[in-house]
Amino acid sequence: MSAREDTATGRIVAIQGSVVDVAFGGTPPPVDRMLLSGTDRDVVIEVATLLGSHTVRGLALNPAAGLALDMAVVDTGRTMTVPVGDGVLGRMLNVFGEAIDGEPPPSDVEWRSIHRRPVPLSRRRVSSEIFETGIKAIDLLCPLERGGKAGLFGGAGVGKTVLITEMIHNMAGSYEGFSLFCGIGERCREAEELHRDMRRTGVLDHTVMVFGQMNESPGVRFRVGHAAMTIAEYFRDDARRDVLLLIDNIFRFVQAGSEVSGLLGRIPSRVGYQPTLGTELAALEERIASTASGAITSVQAVYVPADDFTDPAATHTFAHLSASITLSRKRASQGLYPAIDPLQSASKMLTPSVVGERHDRVARAVRHALAEYEDLKDIIAMLGLEELSERDRATVARARKLERFLTQPFFSTEAFTGKEGRLVSREDTIDGCERILADAFEDRGEGDFYMIGALDELAAARDEAA
C-alpha cells in the first residue's frame, strides 16, 4: 500500500452506538468529510470532530450494524452530495439523494455538496412584496413576505401540518416557481399521504420532496435540511426561478442537533439543548435568502414543547423570521380552524408602506376588537353577557362574527369535513372584515359567518333561502 492510500484509509478504533472513532496513518480528513465503511462500503460516516492529530470522530448516518473494530474506513475526498436539476422535479428523495418513491433513480442531474456557504450580503436582494396564501387569517393579520421566512408555531395536534399542506395546494396554481417540501423527523405516513395528495392534485411535477423520517438516525435528520437547501439554491441560482420552501418540522432539526451533540459528548446547555444551538440553526436559516436571480420563500412549522414559547428552540427560531403565525390550542378546542391566534401572530410586513393604509387600518381594528373581547371574557363568565354595557355587547357581537369569519374550510380537509375548500383573495378578506366592523350584518347570527369563504356566500345563501 502506498503512503497516499494509507493516508486515505483508516481503521475503526471505537464504536459507541452510531458514533465511530477512526484512526488514520497520516493527516486526518476535515470536518464534514464523507467516509465509507462496512463490508460492502455501504455505511456512510460523516466526520463530526477531530480528536487528535490522526483520529476523527464521525456519525454513521445509515444503519451501522455491519461495523466492527479494526474495519477499514475509506476517505472519499468529498462531502455528502445530492442531485440537482430538472430531473429531481416530481421526485421524493432521502438525504443521500436516493429515490424513495419506488421509481428509478433521478436522471439528467448534477450532484452538489450539501455544505454550502450562505449568499454574501452584497448579493442579497430585499423587497417588500406580499406573498398571498388565500388563507384569510394569514393574509389579513400576518401577511407573508415574498422571499422571507415565516414560522408556524404550535404544540402537538393544533394543525401545523394541515396548514402547510393547504399552502402547498393554494400556491401550486398561482405560484410561478417550484415548491420544495422538506420533512425533518416526521412520520412516514404523512410523507406518503402528502405525496399521494400532490399527485392527485397535479402539482407534483413542480415539486421536490426531501425526507429524513423520525425512524432514521439523528445524523440524517440533522443533515436533511441542508440537502433540501442545496436543491432550492440550484433552482434559485441556476434555473433563476422562485422557490417555495416548506419545512416540517424545524424543531426536529434542533432536536436532532441535540441528539448529535449528546452522542459527541458535549456538555448540554439550557434546558438540555446543545451549546451550539444558535450557530447550527443560523447555518441553515441564513441559506434561505433572495438574490437578483430568484427568491426562496420559506414557511416552517415549529413544534413548541409543552406550548412553552420561552423554550430555547422557539426563541432562537423567532429571531430569523419575518412573520410568525401562532396556533392556539384553545381556539382549536373551540373548532375555530385554522386555529391562528390573532393576538400572538405578527408580521413585519403589516405596515402602511407595504400593505397599504386600508389593510393596515382594518387589521388593527380587527385585532383591537378581538383584544377587547378577550378582556371581557372573564366578566361574561362571571356575570353574564346581559351585565355588559350596550357598547361592550356590540363589541362582543362584532368580535364573535370576526372570529368566525376568519375560519375557513380547507381543500386538504374536504374528505374529513365534507365542506368544499375556499381560496379567498386578500382584497375580499379586507372587504369582509371592514363590513363586519361597520355593523353591516347586524341582522345575521354569528353562526352564519362560520366556515365560509368571502362574504358573497352570505348573500348567495340568503337568495337560496328566499
Side-chain angles (χ1 to χ4, degrees):
M1 182 181 289
S2 67
R4 184 175 179 181
E5 289 175 330
D6 186 56
T7 301
T9 305
R11 296 282 171 182
I12 296 177
V13 294
I15 304 174
Q16 188 172 3
S18 59
V19 178
V20 182
D21 292 352
V22 184
F24 288 84
T27 304
V31 172
D32 295 335
R33 182 67 63 82
M34 187 175 85
L35 314 177
L36 295 177
S37 189
T39 52
D40 298 320
R41 297 285 189 269
D42 56 348
V43 178
V44 177
I45 301 170
E46 187 178 62
V47 177
T49 186
L50 304 179
L51 297 181
S53 56
H54 298 290
T55 309
V56 301
R57 175 167 289 171
L59 288 171
L61 300 184
N62 41 0
L67 297 183
L69 291 177
D70 205 38
M71 185 173 280
V73 178
V74 176
D75 178 8
T76 62
R78 59 178 177 85
T79 59
M80 288 175 58
T81 57
V82 290
V84 298
D86 291 345
V88 300
L89 290 173
R91 305 304 304 272
M92 185 189 289
L93 310 173
N94 63 13
V95 71
F96 305 110
E98 300 167 342
I100 55 174
D101 52 7
E103 302 291 331
S107 58
D108 191 25
V109 293
E110 173 191 346
W111 290 78
R112 290 187 181 177
S113 170
I114 68 170
H115 300 284
R116 299 170 67 86
R117 296 186 64 82
V119 175
L121 290 176
S122 58
R123 284 187 51 214
R124 298 194 181 205
R125 181 178 60 86
V126 179
S127 65
S128 297
E129 190 178 348
I130 297 298
F131 190 90
E132 286 196 30
T133 64
I135 299 170
K136 292 183 286 189
I138 293 177
D139 290 342
L140 177 72
L141 299 172
C142 40
L144 307 189
E145 175 189 6
R146 183 178 289 275
K149 287 171 268 195
L152 294 175
F153 291 84
V158 292
K160 296 184 298 298
T161 300
V162 171
L163 204 51
I164 276 196
T165 308
E166 185 71 6
M167 286 186 184
I168 292 174
H169 181 280
N170 290 359
M171 296 174 189
S174 59
Y175 191 70
E176 296 179 359
F178 299 110
S179 297
L180 195 151
F181 183 90
C182 177
I184 305 178
E186 291 301 299
R187 304 164 188 84
C188 58
R189 168 186 59 79
E190 293 176 341
E192 192 275 332
E193 287 176 357
L194 187 61
H195 186 265
R196 183 159 24 93
D197 290 345
M198 296 179 95
R199 185 185 296 278
R200 188 183 69 246
T201 54
V203 302
L204 190 62
D205 290 343
H206 288 83
T207 306
V208 186
M209 306 174 75
V210 186
F211 282 96
Q213 296 164 33
M214 61 166 50
N215 64 314
E216 298 189 79
S217 72
V220 167
R221 287 179 274 123
F222 189 56
R223 288 302 181 207
V224 69
H226 293 277
M229 278 308 310
T230 297
I231 298 173
E233 287 166 346
Y234 165 83
F235 286 116
R236 179 194 66 193
D237 299 333
D238 294 59
R240 305 182 71 84
R241 299 290 296 273
D242 286 354
V243 181
L244 174 62
L245 173 64
L246 301 123
I247 302 176
D248 188 11
N249 186 303
I250 203 69
F251 173 78
R252 305 296 178 196
F253 168 78
V254 174
Q255 193 177 46
S258 181
E259 292 179 50
V260 167
S261 182
L263 289 170
L264 297 176
R266 296 176 186 146
I267 298 174
S269 182
R270 183 179 163 220
V271 199
Y273 286 105
Q274 64 271 39
T276 52
L277 167 60
T279 307
E280 291 169 355
L281 188 60
L284 179 69
E285 295 281 4
E286 287 304 302
R287 291 177 66 179
I288 304 172
S290 301
T291 66
S293 57
I296 298 179
T297 303
S298 172
V299 180
Q300 309 169 15
V302 187
Y303 167 68
V304 181
D307 294 338
D308 178 14
F309 284 86
T310 64
D311 188 88
T315 55
H316 276 81
T317 307
F318 267 120
H320 295 278
L321 305 175
S322 57
S324 55
I325 303 163
T326 303
L327 301 181
S328 162
R329 191 174 302 281
K330 184 179 178 182
R331 293 179 69 82
S333 67
Q334 295 171 343
L336 300 174
Y337 290 104
I340 295 170
D341 189 329
L343 304 180
Q344 296 295 322
S345 303
S347 170
K348 296 176 182 176
M349 305 299 287
L350 194 57
T351 61
S353 60
V354 177
V355 299
E357 293 281 354
R358 180 174 176 240
H359 183 164
D360 180 66
R361 173 173 48 78
V362 171
R364 288 180 186 277
V366 167
R367 195 165 275 157
H368 179 71
L370 295 174
E372 280 195 325
Y373 175 42
E374 194 67 31
D375 291 340
L376 292 169
K377 280 183 178 178
D378 288 341
I379 299 175
I380 296 170
M382 289 187 292
L383 304 176
L385 189 64
E386 297 76 15
E387 297 300 316
L388 296 179
S389 67
E390 188 175 334
R391 176 188 172 278
D392 285 344
R393 282 201 297 272
T395 298
V396 170
R398 210 175 293 131
R400 284 179 171 171
K401 287 174 183 175
L402 286 169
E403 269 189 339
R404 282 146 185 79
F405 178 63
L406 291 177
T407 63
Q408 188 169 340
F410 281 176
F411 293 97
S412 55
T413 58
E414 284 180 3
F416 311 107
T417 63
K419 286 182 175 288
E420 186 181 347
R422 295 289 188 274
L423 183 72
V424 185
S425 69
R426 184 163 64 108
E427 188 60 34
D428 286 344
T429 301
I430 295 168
D431 180 65
C433 290
E434 195 171 44
R435 292 168 68 188
I436 292 172
L437 288 165
D439 295 329
F441 299 95
E442 286 185 297
D443 59 327
R444 302 300 294 263
E446 60 192 49
D448 294 343
F449 297 85
Y450 182 68
M451 285 294 170
I452 64 171
L455 280 184
D456 297 344
E457 294 185 29
L458 283 180
R462 176 178 289 175
D463 292 341
E464 287 178 10

